[in-house]
Amino acid sequence: MGYRQLTQAQRYQISAFLSVGWSQRKIAREIDCHSSTISRELRRNGSLNEYEPAEAGRLSGHRRKSAHKSHKRAPSLIDWVTKQIQSEWSPDQVAGFMRRVGSIQVSHQWIYNLIYRDRIAGGDLWKYCRLPCQRRYQRHLAKRAGLGKIPDRVGIEHRPKAVDDRLHIGHWEGDTILHGHKNSGAVTLVERRSGYLLADCVPKLKAGLVSKVIIRELRPIRGAIQTLTLDNGSEFADHQTFSEALSLKSYFCDPYRSSQRGTNENTNGLLRQYFPKGTDFAKVSRKAIRQAVNRLNNRPRKRLGYRTPAEVFWGEYSGGLDTSGAALNT
């Protein structure tokens, strides 16, 4: 969901919902915007104890009228920012320092764009950035090359809002852990409410092989599957096959928004404890990955009140088991 300015009507809605005790997240869902938009609005245009929509609209209008955009192309500003990046400051550090000293302000996103334009023009400013920043522009190039297209892709914006609440089991996230450039890997599937993990290896990260693993892992518990949220890797291009086989609905995150599959990303990090980067999954036995998965599923989690993912999942799953599929990770 992209950022857009709030209307005055929405400001009156925010005021009304706040008066009856609604949370910022609930208000955002109701007026169809991101929760960060509500947080930003209250921080900028509200006071410590109240939010007055008419005053908020006046403050917002004044801020927009007094904003000066021309300075952002000034050569002196670009030169100064460039020197700080070459001194290995991050874009966030540059923007934060400018805010602190009260000078001309630019956002960290503007600085990222400056670095990207410099790279497209043949510059080397990106090389002074830390690895995450470098990857950011590798992703830009991948997107320009048209990589990762998924046929009949349904975006996460169409996923039922109830999935966000994690109140019921049945909503899963899927990803792959790679060895090299898709030479081999592991398919990981994590249930959002419980954190319960299923995983298996594939010798090649091809769509057909990944689809077979997903069907094999989820078929025995298909009564506990309603949705599966995936990233945009081409290995999930065969999503229609496993969606039909398992009677589930597949959704895809926005490009490069791994935070929309936060449970899966965090669990992949835990699995890396057993299979560090550089592991050739073509040489990992099914027994070895099952043992690692079982350990994670039976490790207490703080967010679950120190219950284990297995306790929460099997405690709430009332569906019958299909024993024709793969062995379950219990």
Side-chain angles (χ1 to χ4, degrees):
M1 182 184 299
Y3 173 72
R4 61 180 183 273
Q5 294 286 340
L6 290 171
T7 65
Q8 193 59 27
Q10 287 175 316
R11 289 192 170 94
Y12 279 101
Q13 287 180 297
I14 292 171
S15 178
F17 292 142
L18 286 172
S19 68
V20 295
W22 280 26
S23 68
Q24 294 180 20
R25 192 176 297 275
K26 187 175 181 181
I27 294 172
R29 286 198 297 266
E30 181 66 23
I31 69 173
D32 192 27
C33 70
H34 197 279
S35 58
S36 63
T37 302
I38 304 298
S39 176
R40 186 186 304 109
E41 173 69 12
L42 297 179
R43 185 174 66 253
R44 290 180 174 178
N45 301 326
S47 63
L48 183 61
N49 298 314
E50 63 180 14
Y51 175 78
E52 209 289 310
E55 177 65 10
R58 187 191 68 78
L59 290 172
S60 177
H62 175 74
R63 188 181 298 108
R64 294 184 68 184
K65 289 180 181 179
S66 61
H68 296 286
K69 302 295 184 181
S70 59
H71 72 268
K72 295 189 177 182
R73 293 187 180 274
S76 58
L77 173 63
I78 293 175
D79 289 344
W80 185 87
V81 171
T82 297
K83 288 179 181 178
Q84 308 318 307
I85 295 299
Q86 290 172 337
S87 298
E88 299 178 343
W89 288 28
S90 72
D92 182 69
Q93 289 169 337
V94 175
F97 177 82
M98 296 173 74
R99 286 194 300 271
R100 184 177 70 82
V101 300
S103 66
I104 294 173
Q105 296 183 22
V106 296
S107 68
H108 67 278
Q109 184 61 55
W110 181 85
I111 300 173
Y112 276 121
N113 291 338
L114 172 66
I115 298 170
Y116 178 58
R117 290 194 301 270
D118 178 76
R119 180 170 183 176
I120 293 300
D124 63 353
L125 200 56
W126 65 277
K127 294 183 179 179
Y128 294 94
C129 296
R130 299 174 194 133
L131 188 58
C133 179
Q134 294 183 24
R135 286 176 177 164
R136 183 187 186 102
Y137 297 105
Q138 291 169 0
R139 290 168 180 169
H140 269 295
L141 295 176
K143 187 174 182 180
R144 286 166 63 89
L147 301 180
K149 293 183 178 179
I150 306 292
D152 299 311
R153 174 188 178 279
V154 179
I156 194 172
E157 66 274 14
H158 299 291
R159 192 178 70 177
K161 298 298 183 182
V163 177
D164 297 335
D165 296 332
R166 301 176 187 264
L167 296 179
H168 306 284
I169 64 169
H171 303 290
W172 295 71
E173 298 175 2
D175 195 13
T176 52
I177 300 177
L178 310 182
H179 169 243
H181 184 63
K182 300 192 176 184
N183 295 323
S184 66
V187 181
T188 60
L189 304 162
V190 185
E191 202 281 316
R192 283 176 52 84
R193 171 165 169 75
S194 62
Y196 189 74
L197 170 65
L198 299 171
D200 204 358
C201 302
V202 286
K204 290 284 186 181
L205 279 175
K206 295 183 177 180
L209 295 177
V210 169
S211 180
K212 289 180 180 179
V213 168
I214 293 174
I215 293 172
R216 184 173 67 239
E217 292 297 311
L218 292 179
R219 177 176 283 154
I221 52 171
R222 56 174 171 249
I225 310 163
Q226 298 179 46
T227 68
L228 177 59
T229 303
L230 304 160
D231 75 359
N232 292 278
S234 60
E235 62 269 24
F236 295 118
D238 198 24
H239 63 97
Q240 292 170 306
T241 298
F242 57 76
S243 295
E244 182 178 350
L246 299 167
S247 300
L248 61 82
K249 293 185 178 180
S250 297
Y251 301 95
F252 290 85
C253 294
D254 296 328
Y256 315 121
R257 290 289 301 277
S258 59
S259 60
Q260 294 176 341
R261 292 179 302 97
T263 304
N264 201 176
E265 289 291 321
N266 179 65
T267 306
N268 285 352
L270 299 177
L271 194 59
R272 280 294 193 187
Q273 175 184 348
Y274 302 98
F275 305 105
K277 289 187 177 181
T279 299
D280 185 352
F281 289 97
K283 299 178 180 178
V284 175
S285 67
R286 179 171 292 181
K287 179 180 179 181
I289 198 164
R290 289 283 191 250
Q291 288 176 339
V293 167
N294 287 340
R295 289 190 178 189
L296 293 177
N297 283 337
N298 289 284
R299 181 187 296 178
R301 304 285 176 86
K302 182 178 181 179
R303 76 174 181 88
L304 300 176
Y306 295 100
R307 293 179 295 169
T308 68
E311 283 182 278
V312 175
F313 181 81
W314 293 111
E316 297 184 13
Y317 174 43
S318 59
L321 296 181
D322 178 356
T323 57
S324 64
L328 297 178
N329 296 321
T330 59

